[in-house]
Amino acid sequence: MCPKEQSNTKIEPADAAVRRSVAPVICYPNETLPKPNLKFYRSLRNGAKKTAEVIVPARDAASFTVPAGHFFRITSVEGPQVGDLNLWNAQDLSERFFSGKTRALHGTHVTTGERLWSSLPYLRPMATIVDDTLNWYGIDEYGGSVHDVIGTRCDPYTGNLLAESQYHHCCHSNLTRALADHLEVPLFDAEPHVHDVLNVFMCTGFTRDTGQYFMKASPVRVGDYLEFFAEIDLLGALSACPGGDCSSEHSSDAAACYPLLVEIFAPSQEALKDWCSPPRNAYDRSHGR
């Protein structure tokens, strides 16, 4: 038997206002998180030399590698453009960027001094943000901010679900192709490794009335960049989103789109001699048994 249709009438309990007025509690107080030594990172960066660059074409993606202890910078080079970033441990693809835990530890958007954390059971810093030319933006009147870890990535499955489309240059497909090409494997083998992203330069938030995820025109301009220190050996893939600056839509050929530049910088070996990658998380993995 089908269940009876439920009434849509909302009946508030007598103590509704009291329940709503309960003060929030931060789920993961982060005062005890290991603090990145930005002064040290900046001293490394001052003496670093550029070793490589990759141009990410508009509406497409490209892969790149960054050795531990090196820097990588993502720059808007021709026009306002957002990018979807995936990161993996270059030696072990099972360790990858964990956007959900990064969000829980730092908040919905990240900037200078905050870190991109890796998946369980590793849970360690993969990369530290050392410079952000958009760190002035803050949180706007709509609740929007820049560089989010709340959105997923535009993908052909959602497009098909909502519009019965078959669009192949959304960020999920772009990242899948880039990873498959890097690994020299079929698309079907690469796709399971593609994961939720850091939305570089994207301006997003949640609506106050419906709680829906929104995007708005990114404040990024030519020359703006986001720069990271690689805490471990990294394999990265970056998609130049087909939404351009995401001012109106994504997964579309209508938006003005531009390439993005990824640059790699290497400090001197002498400067890195006393530095080492953070260890994997020390939880004993006994899980109560």
Side-chain angles (χ1 to χ4, degrees):
M1 269 182 85
C2 294
K4 290 184 178 178
E5 208 172 290
Q6 298 293 312
S7 170
N8 289 325
T9 304
K10 295 180 181 178
I11 301 174
E12 285 198 356
D15 63 346
V18 174
R19 296 192 207 180
R20 290 193 184 104
S21 67
V22 175
V25 176
I26 299 298
C27 295
Y28 293 99
N30 60 15
E31 291 83 1
T32 58
L33 273 181
K35 298 287 191 295
N37 187 343
L38 290 179
K39 183 177 179 181
F40 171 66
Y41 292 151
R42 285 167 180 157
S43 71
L44 291 178
R45 182 65 179 85
N46 287 337
K49 298 187 183 304
K50 184 173 173 177
T51 58
E53 71 173 42
V54 174
I55 294 289
V56 181
R59 288 191 178 83
D60 209 341
S63 63
F64 57 93
T65 56
V66 191
H70 292 208
F71 296 84
F72 68 101
R73 175 185 288 193
I74 299 171
T75 304
S76 174
V77 286
E78 291 185 16
Q81 177 66 45
V82 307
D84 286 41
L85 177 67
N86 266 185
L87 292 176
W88 300 265
N89 180 331
Q91 276 77 51
D92 178 4
L93 295 189
S94 69
E95 183 175 13
R96 63 193 194 184
F97 172 51
F98 190 176
S99 67
K101 191 59 69 179
T102 300
R103 178 174 66 249
L105 292 173
H106 294 301
T108 56
H109 300 76
V110 291
T111 188
T112 308
E114 295 175 328
R115 290 170 144 166
L116 307 188
W117 294 81
S118 70
S119 54
L120 305 181
Y122 312 97
L123 195 60
R124 59 175 169 171
M126 300 185 80
T128 299
I129 300 174
V130 295
D131 205 357
D132 174 13
T133 61
L134 294 177
N135 63 4
W136 55 268
Y137 191 88
I139 301 175
D140 63 32
E141 63 181 302
Y142 303 101
S145 193
V146 186
H147 313 309
D148 89 62
V149 284
I150 48 179
T152 52
R153 57 203 177 276
C154 54
D155 69 89
Y157 303 98
T158 303
N160 183 260
L161 175 69
L162 298 178
E164 297 185 350
S165 65
Q166 294 287 324
Y167 187 75
H168 307 302
H169 286 272
C170 50
C171 289
H172 177 86
S173 296
N174 294 349
L175 294 167
T176 298
R177 292 194 308 274
L179 183 61
D181 290 347
H182 177 85
L183 298 176
E184 298 181 336
V185 300
L187 292 170
F188 284 179
D189 291 341
E191 185 175 17
H193 295 290
V194 174
H195 51 279
D196 285 351
V197 296
L198 168 63
N199 284 305
V200 178
F201 303 140
M202 194 171 181
C203 189
T204 60
F206 292 105
T207 59
R208 303 296 193 194
D209 51 353
T210 63
Q212 288 175 286
Y213 179 55
F214 72 76
M215 61 187 187
K216 55 182 290 192
S218 172
V220 68
R221 297 294 180 267
V222 172
D224 279 323
Y225 61 84
L226 187 63
E227 186 163 297
F228 304 83
F229 177 78
E231 301 283 357
I232 63 174
D233 290 336
L234 292 174
L235 167 60
L238 179 68
S239 172
C241 182
D245 69 354
C246 289
S247 57
S248 58
E249 59 182 337
H250 54 56
S251 297
S252 160
D253 286 327
C257 293
Y258 304 94
L260 292 168
L261 171 66
V262 180
E263 299 170 282
I264 315 298
F265 301 89
S268 71
Q269 289 303 304
E270 176 64 21
L272 278 171
K273 67 178 183 180
D274 294 325
W275 177 85
C276 60
S277 289
R280 295 179 177 186
N281 193 276
Y283 174 63
D284 65 13
R285 303 188 68 182
S286 62
H287 301 294
R289 291 203 178 164

